[in-house]
Amino acid sequence: MEHKHAQAEQANPGLIAGLLGITRNLLGLIINRIELASLELSEIGGNLVRFLVLFTLAAIALWFAVAFWAVLLVFLAWDSWGWKIFLVLGAFFTIATAAIAWYARSLLQQGKLSLPATMAELRKDRDALL
């Protein structure tokens, strides 16, 4: 009877040590994934700030350009086209706006603001654990 009890005591330290090892590895894996996510988030943050600054500057420059060109076109075409010049300009800028919005949407769909490496590693971890 004592022999079985001694074997059980010897198995328990090995089991506890194994569980502690698994827990330590799991915590290391979680910390590693958090570090990877924070690295990617900082990179995305920098890119996002740069994108927003450039977008704002481009929008301001575009508004000035549109205003000056539109005024020039209206001034030059008013004698021959009259009010129809406003219709032409409105249609042109509507089409231009739709094209720019479509292009911006395609840039966002390319995943520039996502975490590709972190998500791939998390999928690998999930597959390995399940």
Side-chain angles (χ1 to χ4, degrees), residues 55 62 66 88-104:
F55 179 79
L62 178 67
V66 166
V88 171
L89 287 174
F92 172 76
F93 287 121
T94 300
I95 292 169
T97 300
I100 291 168
W102 178 76
Y103 179 70

Side-chain angles (χ1 to χ4, degrees), residues 21-125:
I22 290 173
T23 304
R24 184 176 44 240
N25 288 338
L26 185 60
L27 287 175
L29 180 67
I30 290 170
I31 289 171
N32 188 359
R33 297 305 178 244
I34 290 172
E35 289 173 350
L36 179 61
S38 67
L39 178 65
E40 284 189 322
L41 283 173
S42 68
E43 182 178 327
I44 287 173
N47 289 338
L48 184 61
V49 168
R50 187 177 314 128
F51 176 76
L52 289 175
V53 167
L54 289 175
F55 179 79
T56 302
L57 291 174
I60 292 169
L62 178 67
W63 277 106
F64 277 106
V66 166
F68 285 117
W69 284 112
V71 168
L72 180 64
L73 281 175
V74 168
F75 180 75
L76 293 176
W78 188 260
D79 291 336
S80 61
W81 288 39
W83 63 269
K84 295 176 205 136
I85 190 65
F86 291 118
L87 180 67
V88 171
L89 287 174
F92 172 76
F93 287 121
T94 300
I95 292 169
T97 300
I100 291 168
W102 178 76
Y103 179 70
R105 183 175 176 252
S106 71
L107 285 177
L108 291 176
Q109 286 179 337
Q110 291 176 2
K112 300 290 184 187
L113 299 178
S114 65
L115 305 170
T118 299
M119 295 308 291
E121 290 299 321
L122 288 175
R123 279 188 214 98
K124 285 181 192 176
D125 295 344

